[in-house]
Amino acid sequence: MHGSLTSADNAKSRRTTQSGEDFPPFVAHPLVNSGHLQTIFAVYFPGRYPKYAAVQHRLQMPDGDCLILHDDRPADWQPKQRVVLMLHGLGGSHGSFYLRRMVHKLNAQAVRVFRLDMRGCGAGFGLAQLPYHSGRTEDVVAAIRKIELLCPGSPVSLIGFSLGANISLKLLGEIGSNAIGGLDSALAVAPPADLDLCSRVMSRGFNRIYDWHFVRTLKRHVRRQARRLPNSPAAQFAVRPRTLRQFDDAYTAPLSGFADVADYYRRCSSLAFVESIRIPTWIITAADDPFIPPTPLLQAALPPQVRLHITAGGGHLGFIARPGTDGDCRWLDWRVVEWVQRMGTERRCPPTESA
């Protein structure tokens, strides 16, 4: 079963996970005690966060597309202090609830946070002809370069969620021991490291609800894109996919230069890149995530720089914990804050910049 760990998996989890050392245990809220409930609760009960107050920076890409980088700088942040770059998941943007909550909590700790709207998302809607996808690491590189100009001398921690987590791990594997700006650490939450497997798991049973939700969201986005940019590739999209895999085969893959969906999933799954990661990296994922099984990461030969933490519960980006453990029930929010604080204390030297 993809939602639970076998005995063999548990044994390997003990070898790859520093549970109790890296992060305190997650104990699910008694009223949200399954992966599906955790996932759904996180969407419909987003929590509290302040009004938007970020400064926007434009990133002009060589292919003509433009990205938006959102800059939340607290008044007490000082030059050369650590900054964080966050990447949202599929169908998300800078306005995703989990990002907004974490920005608020990190700003309260004097941490400057940047959020990247992937191509055509959020404030970048209408500014990109090409679609975003699970392998667009060049966009993250552009964001890190921009942060280097805005915050010279500041170390950078990269934090990705879901699709953004896959992009993060793929980028770290691509660069290996080389450096990009001040990037010196990363945290990946719920990465779909094997895209083909995740697409198949999502098409089973109750998970079809999530599949339908993502496809509906993406088709709506493409229709809006076609109205805004009538000469864009989106305007030529006439297929009516019923699954995420069909959408990626008909739209994402051909518009992004891949032969088909199989080629896209093979070349962009971060599982093929994690063995090459040399920057200290933490991965958090839940054993009961409905559509992202932990098995591929458990079976991977992770390098010593990568630490894998698998919680028994939490669903997909849920992690609604029992009351009284942290400042609120959002276990993941507080782990991100603690991890960033630890990175600041352990201030690391990035690898040497490649030529």
Side-chain angles (χ1 to χ4, degrees), residues 96-177:
S96 295
F97 300 133
Y98 49 92
L99 295 190
R100 295 165 77 175
R101 291 196 315 267
M102 293 182 206
V103 166
H104 174 55
K105 289 170 180 172
L106 286 169
N107 280 177
Q109 301 299 319
V111 178
R112 186 172 180 177
V113 183
F114 293 85
R115 290 170 283 172
L116 178 64
D117 269 335
M118 298 187 197
R119 298 192 185 215
C121 297
F125 176 71
L127 301 179
Q129 297 271 347
L130 300 174
Y132 71 97
H133 62 70
S134 294
R136 283 208 184 276
T137 52
E138 67 271 22
D139 294 358
V140 185
V141 171
I144 295 172
R145 293 295 190 199
K146 182 66 175 182
I147 292 172
E148 185 180 20
L149 295 175
L150 295 169
C151 310
S154 287
V156 179
S157 291
L158 175 64
I159 306 179
F161 300 87
S162 195
L163 179 144
N166 184 80
I167 295 176
S168 299
L169 295 177
K170 180 175 179 287
L171 171 63
L172 298 174
E174 287 174 344
I175 65 175
S177 299

Side-chain angles (χ1 to χ4, degrees), residues 5 14 76 100 110 132 134 174 184 213 227 239 246 249 260 287 289 316 325:
L5 299 179
R14 287 192 291 272
D76 45 357
R100 295 165 77 175
Y132 71 97
S134 294
E174 287 174 344
D184 72 348
H213 168 74
R227 289 193 295 269
V239 181
Q246 290 174 358
D249 193 39
D260 53 24
D289 189 315
H316 186 70
T325 305

